[in-house]
Amino acid sequence: MRSLAWVPGIEVATTYRAKWFPKDLVAGIVLTTLLVPQGMAYAELAGLPPITGLYTSILCLLAYAVFGPSRVLVLGPDSALGPMIAAVVVPMVLAGGDPGKAVALASVLALLVGLFMTVAAVAKLGFVADLLSHPTQLGYVNGLAVTILIGQLPKLFGFSTEGEGLWADIKGFVTGLDETVPAALAIGVGGLVVILGLQKLLPRVPAILVAVVGAIAAVTLMDLDVDVVGPLPQGFPPFTIPTVSLHEFGLLAAAAVGITLVSVTDTISTASAFAGRTGQEVRGNQEMGGIGAANLAAGLFQGFPVSTSGSRTAVAFAAGAKSQVTGLVGAAAITLMLVLVPGLLKDMPQPMLAAVVIAASIGLADVKGMVRLWRQRRIEFALAAAAFVGVAVLGVLPGIAWAVALSVLNVFRRAWWPYRTELGKPENVDGYHDLQQYPEAARTPGLVIFRFDAPLIFANARTFREEIRHLATDGTRWILVAAEPITDVDTTAADMLEELDQELNAKGMSLVFAEMKNPVKQKIDRYGLTRTIDPAHFYPTLDDAVAAFRRSNA
């Protein structure tokens, strides 16, 4: 039974209720109206033929229905992953472009992401999603949104540019404006206005479907001279084992690490947002297993890396989705379209696909979040801004590495320079409190009560020692450490405490602890610190320690 826990689709099949099917069917059909145009648009965003977006959508939906634990999450091509895929695939394809080569590279990338996800799920490494803090994730996503928007502007205006990076895209767009195709611009801007307008004014109306149908009708009826998608291959995507060179494999593996991290982070956050609404618990490791299976399936059928889509999940949920059957309906609908009417979308204009991607980038951006950080905590706003600049200056893939580095450095900064303060006893308030909050709090002559709000480790041992030395003024007899916030003491900090205690004893002072957690006290004993620090100088509460000080100095 434990092995079946990794195949939630079996549980869904055995517990499925017939009354759910009408709602799942409707939700699946509604979802398809979003899956098709977005899948094609995000494939082009990734530098791949539009058909691969449909292949990817079919296979990831089928695989997640079997291996995914959430009943409502919808996977598929993602606007956040598109630039990351393009950043590694496009430069590796020879000049002039080889769609077959690009598809093979993207498929291997999907297989690697699926492998990494599966290994991480088995090893229970769901915590890796925490490597991106919210501020750095916010800055990264906003940088990504700007990069996507700028990169799609030439296609919206009916021309193409060459160049890598945000600044090259801006320069190419500005210098290429004289090549603007008026009909393409009208289709693209008109479609973008329809999508954004309907999403705001009539959110229940399938805005993208309306815009796509309108664009196809305009091109067909008015015989507009704009680039179109063209006929799509007929039939179900073929099973394919992609091959690449060893050098290419190494580059793809490095990129797959970043894509895996972004996909895990996005999935865990989206799953958490919808778990409360459905009464389910977030199972991070199983979610990684489900996404891993989806990527493996996509990679074997000419697909590319996928992630959870918050927008498509919201559409399915609002349409009444009850289970993964919604995704199966969507996969079946796309397959039927490819088998029976592959020419249905052949007249879809390329500027319309650009409009779909730009609308997604606008939805991806979170300016309000940046403003909120500015108002709430400037240091975290600075982290978000640095992550934003990292994406803009370094590029999409280096930008994710930069964002992770910023998150880790921020954790280290907090451990290195934690909050520390002196405590006193305020009038008419129980207990001992921060003198910065209660500057008039009473202090006992000869006794300093010091609180250090962090584990005591190698990174902050020097800071702790310098603070104690600063407090060890003439007339001080005891320096009492309120140790409740100290959750750990490593060997470097233990050596520091031993030297510090000897230094204070030489001045006629004592280093005393109160409210130390039992696991930390056990480490203190194991390190042998009680050879120098008097064992009697560990008290269960601050009141006990203060009372002992007063007795010894009566």
Side-chain angles (χ1 to χ4, degrees):
M1 291 298 294
R2 179 172 294 182
S3 61
L4 293 180
W6 289 94
V7 191
I10 295 178
E11 180 184 355
V12 172
T14 56
T15 61
Y16 192 78
R17 301 178 186 177
K19 65 179 181 180
W20 290 351
F21 183 71
K23 293 184 178 181
D24 280 336
L25 179 62
V26 171
I29 294 173
V30 171
L31 182 63
T32 304
T33 66
L34 195 62
L35 290 171
V36 172
Q38 280 194 343
M40 298 174 69
Y42 295 165
E44 291 219 332
L45 177 62
L48 301 167
I51 186 63
T52 60
L54 302 184
Y55 290 166
T56 301
S57 298
I58 293 171
L59 271 302
C60 73
L61 290 171
L62 292 175
Y64 189 80
V66 177
F67 295 99
S70 173
R71 291 180 179 269
V72 296
L73 286 190
V74 177
L75 269 64
D78 185 61
S79 59
L81 298 189
M84 301 180 72
I85 299 168
V88 64
V89 169
V90 173
M92 295 170 68
V93 178
L94 298 177
D98 180 357
K101 177 68 171 179
V103 171
L105 292 169
S107 295
V108 172
L109 191 58
L111 292 174
L112 287 169
V113 171
L115 177 62
F116 292 165
M117 285 279 192
T118 304
V119 171
V122 174
K124 299 183 178 180
L125 300 179
F127 65 87
V128 298
D130 298 332
L131 289 178
L132 273 178
S133 67
H134 177 68
T136 50
Q137 185 179 359
L138 186 62
Y140 173 80
V141 167
N142 280 312
L144 199 61
V146 172
T147 300
I148 294 171
L149 192 151
I150 298 297
Q152 292 296 306
L153 285 178
K155 187 186 294 186
L156 191 76
F157 280 64
F159 62 90
S160 60
T161 61
E162 297 290 336
E164 288 184 36
L166 180 61
W167 306 120
D169 286 341
I170 293 174
K171 181 180 178 181
F173 172 67
V174 173
T175 57
L177 281 174
D178 57 347
E179 302 176 25
T180 298
V181 178
L185 181 60
I187 288 289
V189 172
L192 184 59
V193 170
V194 169
I195 292 172
L196 297 179
L198 288 179
Q199 286 178 344
K200 185 170 183 63
L201 300 176
L202 299 170
R204 291 187 176 275
V205 174
I208 293 179
L209 178 64
V210 172
V212 167
V213 171
I216 293 175
V219 169
T220 304
L221 298 176
M222 302 173 66
D223 194 25
L224 298 177
D225 184 19
V226 298
D227 291 337
V228 296
V229 170
L232 299 177
Q234 185 174 20
F236 193 80
F239 175 81
T240 307
I241 299 178
T243 58
V244 296
S245 68
L246 188 60
H247 173 68
E248 291 169 336
F249 184 85
L251 295 175
L252 292 171
V257 173
I259 292 175
T260 299
L261 178 59
V262 171
S263 183
V264 169
T265 303
D266 186 38
T267 296
I268 297 300
S269 60
T270 303
S272 300
F274 283 91
R277 305 184 194 182
T278 60
Q280 288 187 281
E281 294 183 1
V282 177
R283 294 178 281 178
N285 293 313
Q286 283 192 321
E287 285 293 356
M288 287 195 296
I291 304 171
N295 277 282
L296 290 172
L300 291 173
F301 287 86
Q302 299 187 10
F304 52 87
V306 299
S307 180
T308 301
S309 169
S311 61
R312 290 189 287 273
T313 300
V315 167
F317 183 79
K322 293 297 182 181
S323 72
Q324 292 98 323
V325 172
T326 294
L328 293 177
V329 172
I334 298 173
T335 302
L336 288 174
M337 185 196 76
L338 292 178
V339 171
L340 302 178
V341 283
L344 183 65
L345 300 174
K346 65 182 179 62
D347 291 325
M348 181 187 294
Q350 293 284 359
M352 187 63 242
L353 292 182
V356 172
V357 174
I358 289 174
S361 72
I362 293 173
L364 195 63
D366 187 358
V367 178
K368 290 182 179 179
M370 295 290 284
V371 172
R372 184 171 64 252
L373 280 182
W374 172 262
R375 292 174 177 171
Q376 294 177 346
R377 191 165 184 178
R378 298 290 171 85
I379 185 65
E380 296 202 345
F381 172 84
L383 285 172
F388 177 92
V389 173
V391 176
V393 174
L394 301 177
V396 175
L397 285 173
I400 186 64
W402 174 242
V404 171
L406 287 174
S407 294
V408 173
L409 286 173
N410 187 40
V411 173
F412 190 74
R413 178 191 64 83
R414 293 178 179 180
W416 197 348
W417 295 304
Y419 185 74
R420 58 269 188 198
T421 187
E422 190 177 348
L423 305 182
K425 191 171 183 59
E427 187 176 359
N428 299 323
V429 179
D430 292 336
Y432 294 85
H433 298 275
D434 191 341
L435 288 179
Q436 296 187 39
Q437 184 178 3
Y438 296 95
E440 303 301 324
R443 286 175 278 186
T444 303
L447 173 66
V448 173
I449 305 177
F450 174 65
R451 193 182 72 204
F452 191 79
D453 292 352
L456 193 51
I457 56 176
F458 71 95
N460 57 34
R462 183 188 297 272
T463 301
F464 182 92
R465 181 178 62 194
E466 295 307 314
E467 287 288 338
I468 295 295
R469 285 175 174 172
H470 176 72
L471 295 172
T473 57
D474 291 341
T476 301
R477 301 291 303 280
W478 278 19
I479 296 181
L480 171 59
V481 179
E484 195 272 338
I486 299 176
T487 56
D488 191 19
V489 175
D490 69 6
T491 55
T492 301
D495 292 341
M496 177 274 298
L497 288 175
E498 183 172 7
E499 295 171 2
L500 182 61
D501 183 62
Q502 292 172 348
E503 179 183 323
L504 293 175
N505 290 341
K507 297 179 180 180
M509 304 178 190
S510 297
L511 187 61
V512 182
F513 297 87
E515 300 182 346
M516 180 175 283
K517 291 179 170 61
N518 189 57
V520 180
K521 179 60 169 60
Q522 289 175 348
K523 291 181 180 179
I524 293 290
D525 294 335
R526 189 162 62 249
Y527 297 151
L529 280 180
T530 47
R531 293 193 313 270
T532 55
I533 302 177
D534 189 341
H537 283 172
F538 292 87
Y539 294 90
T541 68
L542 287 173
D543 286 331
D544 291 334
V546 172
F549 173 79
R550 289 172 176 167
R551 287 195 302 270
S552 64
N553 290 275

